[in-house]
């Protein structure tokens, strides 16, 4: 196991067993910049991209605390959460546009 993978596993263990916010801060420090870049390239609004980044890490915390499954690849999990939130963002945008368009239809 590579040193960074071993470190990730230790951090995940600390978060799960002790709800260790310092361990979570380390995870955030390791991945926040890359996740932000990933989202900014896909979301037109910088403010909404920042909100989504924060939501990624909130969902990660919830997942690590509540799911007993092993995390084999922390980076993959984080980016999967990000992709799911990006997809939900666009679904919500399209739904909002659909409802706006329906308001314009005269009966």
């Amino acid at each position: 196991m590579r040193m960074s993978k071993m470190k990730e596993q230790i951090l995940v263990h600390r978060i799960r067993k002790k709800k260790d916010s310092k361990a979570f801060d380390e995870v955030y420090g390791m991945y926040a910049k890359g996740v932000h870049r990933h989202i900014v390239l896909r979301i037109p609004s910088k403010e909404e991209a920042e909100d989504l980044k924060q939501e990624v890490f909130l969902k990660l915390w919830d997942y690590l605390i509540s799911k007993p499954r092993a995390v084999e690849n922390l980076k993959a999990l984080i980016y999967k959460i990000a992709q799911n939130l990006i997809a939900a963002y666009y679904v919500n945008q399209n739904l909002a546009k659909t409802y706006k368009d329906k308001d314009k239809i005269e009966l």
Side-chain angles (χ1 to χ4, degrees), residues 50-97:
E50 182 65 29
D51 289 346
L52 282 179
K53 178 186 79 173
Q54 297 303 326
E55 194 171 343
V56 166
F57 286 96
L58 287 172
K59 286 192 176 293
L60 176 64
W61 175 266
D62 289 342
Y63 180 89
L64 292 176
I65 297 301
S66 65
K67 305 288 186 207
R69 287 177 276 199
V71 175
E72 296 297 323
N73 188 332
L74 183 60
K75 182 177 181 179
L77 174 61
I78 291 169
Y79 280 85
K80 182 64 173 178
I81 294 169
Q83 278 304 117
N84 289 344
L85 288 172
I86 291 166
Y89 168 85
Y90 280 106
V91 166
N92 291 334
Q93 291 298 312
N94 286 337
L95 288 175
K97 182 182 181 307

Side-chain angles (χ1 to χ4, degrees), residues 21-47:
S21 62
K22 289 183 182 183
F24 193 78
D25 288 345
E26 281 190 60
V27 170
Y28 185 87
M30 291 165 56
Y31 292 108
K33 190 174 184 178
V35 168
H36 183 74
R37 185 173 36 252
H38 179 77
I39 295 171
V40 164
L41 291 172
R42 290 158 179 83
I43 302 293
S45 165
K46 288 183 182 180
E47 292 81 16

Side-chain angles (χ1 to χ4, degrees), residues 11-27:
L11 292 172
V12 167
H13 178 77
R14 286 174 45 199
I15 293 165
R16 283 192 159 152
K17 297 298 180 190
K18 301 175 185 175
K19 296 183 180 173
D20 187 338
S21 62
K22 289 183 182 183
F24 193 78
D25 288 345
E26 281 190 60
V27 170

